[in-house]
Amino acid sequence: MTFSNSAELLSFHWVAYSIYAAMIISVVAWFGYNLTRKEAKSVFRIPFYWYMAFLVAGGVGHHIFTYNTIPWVSQDIDRHNIKADATYEFEIENHKWIGLPEKVVVQCGQTIKFDVHSRDLVYGFGLFRQDGSMVMQMQVNPGTDVNGILDSNDILWTFNHNGSFDLTSTEYSGPDQYTEDGKDLMLVKNLVQVVGCNKGGKK
């Protein structure tokens, strides 16, 4: 079981957690039913406790056995051995992006390194699909190293689905990011475009 992007992962967890929530609700219903019985029988207690143990084991086991199927987990752990196909560097100051290219075109399956530097505040770096769902994000902290060079905030990401993705800050850094009518001044439409994937994802 593998997931090529966060949308696939979200769909899987939606189904898994819906089933798990229904099972949790059934525990409450089971417990309530036994409270209303005039004569409680001990025979109901043994399967109840076994059921509870099953739910605990299932909840923990779900995360243990699926964490490594999340595409960015293994990549982040092993990132020191991964060479990015391309690197894009940006700076942020006074709620404005500095050095943004007009368009970032990514071929399907490429691993891209986004290296972002803040000159003043804590910002975020987030890519979003056209339906508003998030592809990925990271926090961008300000500061400089001992040589006075701006600290790096970077993330590796492998793109396996075609699409055009919007960029904006995902951290609240004050009201200056927005106009009085709520327009996001740090929103850059269609900055990243991924091409070359088939309909099912990947090449």
Side-chain angles (χ1 to χ4, degrees), residues 26 31 34-35 37 49 52 57 94 123-124 128 130 135 145 165 185 187 192 200:
S26 71
F31 185 73
N34 280 279
L35 283 178
R37 290 171 58 86
Y49 292 136
M52 290 293 293
N94 194 26
Y123 297 97
F128 291 81
Q130 297 306 303
V135 177
D145 62 18
F165 306 117
L185 297 175
L187 176 64
V192 177

Short mmCIF file of all heavy atoms in Angstrom, two decimals, residues 26 31 34-35 37 49 52 57 94 123-124 128 130 135 145 165 185 187 192 200:
data_model
loop_
_atom_site.label_atom_id
_atom_site.label_comp_id
_atom_site.label_asym_id
_atom_site.label_seq_id
_atom_site.Cartn_x
_atom_site.Cartn_y
_atom_site.Cartn_z
N SER A 26 -20.22 2.19 18.45
CA SER A 26 -20.86 0.93 18.83
C SER A 26 -20.50 0.53 20.26
O SER A 26 -21.29 -0.12 20.95
CB SER A 26 -20.47 -0.18 17.86
OG SER A 26 -19.11 -0.56 18.02
N PHE A 31 -22.35 -0.30 25.69
CA PHE A 31 -22.28 0.03 27.12
C PHE A 31 -23.64 0.56 27.61
O PHE A 31 -24.13 0.18 28.67
CB PHE A 31 -21.18 1.07 27.34
CG PHE A 31 -20.95 1.39 28.79
CD1 PHE A 31 -20.30 0.49 29.63
CD2 PHE A 31 -21.38 2.60 29.32
CE1 PHE A 31 -20.08 0.79 30.96
CE2 PHE A 31 -21.17 2.92 30.65
CZ PHE A 31 -20.52 2.00 31.48
N ASN A 34 -26.23 -2.24 28.02
CA ASN A 34 -26.06 -3.06 29.22
C ASN A 34 -26.45 -2.29 30.49
O ASN A 34 -26.86 -2.89 31.47
CB ASN A 34 -24.62 -3.56 29.32
CG ASN A 34 -24.37 -4.76 28.43
OD1 ASN A 34 -24.70 -5.89 28.78
ND2 ASN A 34 -23.81 -4.51 27.26
N LEU A 35 -26.31 -0.95 30.46
CA LEU A 35 -26.74 -0.17 31.62
C LEU A 35 -28.26 -0.21 31.81
O LEU A 35 -28.76 -0.08 32.93
CB LEU A 35 -26.29 1.29 31.47
CG LEU A 35 -24.82 1.60 31.73
CD1 LEU A 35 -24.55 3.08 31.49
CD2 LEU A 35 -24.42 1.22 33.15
N ARG A 37 -30.21 -2.75 31.09
CA ARG A 37 -30.70 -4.10 31.40
C ARG A 37 -30.98 -4.22 32.90
O ARG A 37 -30.21 -3.72 33.73
CB ARG A 37 -29.66 -5.14 30.98
CG ARG A 37 -29.51 -5.27 29.47
CD ARG A 37 -28.32 -6.15 29.13
NE ARG A 37 -28.44 -7.47 29.72
CZ ARG A 37 -29.09 -8.49 29.16
NH1 ARG A 37 -29.68 -8.30 27.99
NH2 ARG A 37 -29.14 -9.66 29.74
N TYR A 49 -14.60 -6.38 26.80
CA TYR A 49 -13.19 -6.05 27.03
C TYR A 49 -12.32 -6.49 25.86
O TYR A 49 -11.35 -5.82 25.51
CB TYR A 49 -12.71 -6.66 28.34
CG TYR A 49 -13.35 -6.05 29.56
CD1 TYR A 49 -13.82 -6.83 30.61
CD2 TYR A 49 -13.49 -4.66 29.68
CE1 TYR A 49 -14.41 -6.25 31.73
CE2 TYR A 49 -14.08 -4.08 30.78
CZ TYR A 49 -14.54 -4.88 31.81
OH TYR A 49 -15.12 -4.30 32.90
N MET A 52 -12.76 -3.88 23.23
CA MET A 52 -12.00 -2.69 23.56
C MET A 52 -10.52 -2.88 23.22
O MET A 52 -9.87 -1.99 22.67
CB MET A 52 -12.16 -2.35 25.04
CG MET A 52 -13.54 -1.84 25.42
SD MET A 52 -13.90 -0.23 24.68
CE MET A 52 -12.74 0.81 25.54
N ALA A 57 -5.72 -1.92 19.79
CA ALA A 57 -4.69 -2.51 18.93
C ALA A 57 -4.86 -2.06 17.49
O ALA A 57 -3.89 -1.77 16.79
CB ALA A 57 -4.76 -4.03 19.02
N ASN A 94 8.63 41.67 4.78
CA ASN A 94 7.51 42.61 4.79
C ASN A 94 6.30 42.05 4.04
O ASN A 94 5.65 42.75 3.28
CB ASN A 94 7.94 43.95 4.19
CG ASN A 94 6.95 45.06 4.48
OD1 ASN A 94 6.23 45.01 5.48
ND2 ASN A 94 6.90 46.04 3.60
N TYR A 123 6.95 33.03 8.72
CA TYR A 123 5.98 32.85 7.64
C TYR A 123 5.78 31.35 7.42
O TYR A 123 6.31 30.52 8.14
CB TYR A 123 6.48 33.50 6.34
CG TYR A 123 6.67 34.99 6.41
CD1 TYR A 123 7.93 35.56 6.66
CD2 TYR A 123 5.59 35.86 6.22
CE1 TYR A 123 8.11 36.93 6.71
CE2 TYR A 123 5.76 37.24 6.26
CZ TYR A 123 7.02 37.77 6.51
OH TYR A 123 7.19 39.12 6.57
N GLY A 124 5.01 31.05 6.40
CA GLY A 124 4.87 29.67 5.97
C GLY A 124 5.07 29.58 4.47
O GLY A 124 4.98 30.59 3.76
N PHE A 128 -0.94 24.80 -2.76
CA PHE A 128 -2.34 24.38 -2.70
C PHE A 128 -2.85 24.03 -4.09
O PHE A 128 -2.51 24.67 -5.08
CB PHE A 128 -3.20 25.49 -2.11
CG PHE A 128 -2.95 25.74 -0.65
CD1 PHE A 128 -1.86 26.53 -0.26
CD2 PHE A 128 -3.75 25.20 0.32
CE1 PHE A 128 -1.60 26.76 1.08
CE2 PHE A 128 -3.51 25.43 1.66
CZ PHE A 128 -2.43 26.21 2.04
N GLN A 130 -6.01 23.63 -6.89
CA GLN A 130 -7.00 24.61 -7.32
C GLN A 130 -8.31 24.48 -6.53
O GLN A 130 -9.09 25.43 -6.49
CB GLN A 130 -7.27 24.47 -8.82
CG GLN A 130 -6.06 24.75 -9.69
CD GLN A 130 -5.43 26.11 -9.40
OE1 GLN A 130 -6.11 27.13 -9.48
NE2 GLN A 130 -4.15 26.14 -9.07
N VAL A 135 -1.23 20.76 -0.70
CA VAL A 135 -0.28 19.76 -1.19
C VAL A 135 0.80 19.54 -0.14
O VAL A 135 1.10 18.42 0.25
CB VAL A 135 0.36 20.22 -2.52
CG1 VAL A 135 1.41 19.21 -3.00
CG2 VAL A 135 -0.71 20.44 -3.57
N ASP A 145 22.70 32.93 10.54
CA ASP A 145 23.69 32.08 11.20
C ASP A 145 24.86 32.95 11.70
O ASP A 145 24.81 34.18 11.65
CB ASP A 145 24.17 30.97 10.27
CG ASP A 145 24.86 31.52 9.00
OD1 ASP A 145 25.28 32.69 9.01
OD2 ASP A 145 25.00 30.75 8.03
N PHE A 165 -0.39 24.62 -9.03
CA PHE A 165 -0.50 24.81 -7.59
C PHE A 165 -0.20 26.25 -7.21
O PHE A 165 0.73 26.87 -7.72
CB PHE A 165 0.45 23.85 -6.86
CG PHE A 165 0.26 22.42 -7.27
CD1 PHE A 165 1.29 21.72 -7.89
CD2 PHE A 165 -0.95 21.78 -7.06
CE1 PHE A 165 1.12 20.40 -8.27
CE2 PHE A 165 -1.13 20.46 -7.44
CZ PHE A 165 -0.10 19.77 -8.06
N LEU A 185 -2.51 38.89 0.11
CA LEU A 185 -1.50 39.57 -0.69
C LEU A 185 -0.29 38.70 -0.98
O LEU A 185 0.52 39.03 -1.85
CB LEU A 185 -1.05 40.85 0.03
CG LEU A 185 -2.14 41.91 0.24
CD1 LEU A 185 -1.60 43.07 1.05
CD2 LEU A 185 -2.68 42.40 -1.10
N LEU A 187 -0.63 35.50 -1.86
CA LEU A 187 -1.09 34.43 -2.74
C LEU A 187 -0.55 34.61 -4.15
O LEU A 187 -0.73 35.66 -4.76
CB LEU A 187 -2.62 34.39 -2.77
CG LEU A 187 -3.26 33.38 -3.73
CD1 LEU A 187 -2.91 31.96 -3.32
CD2 LEU A 187 -4.78 33.58 -3.77
N VAL A 192 3.45 26.81 -9.41
CA VAL A 192 4.07 25.53 -9.74
C VAL A 192 3.16 24.74 -10.67
O VAL A 192 1.97 24.57 -10.39
CB VAL A 192 4.35 24.70 -8.46
CG1 VAL A 192 4.93 23.33 -8.82
CG2 VAL A 192 5.30 25.46 -7.54
N GLY A 200 -3.38 8.23 -13.76
CA GLY A 200 -3.31 7.56 -12.48
C GLY A 200 -2.21 8.07 -11.57
O GLY A 200 -2.03 7.59 -10.46
#
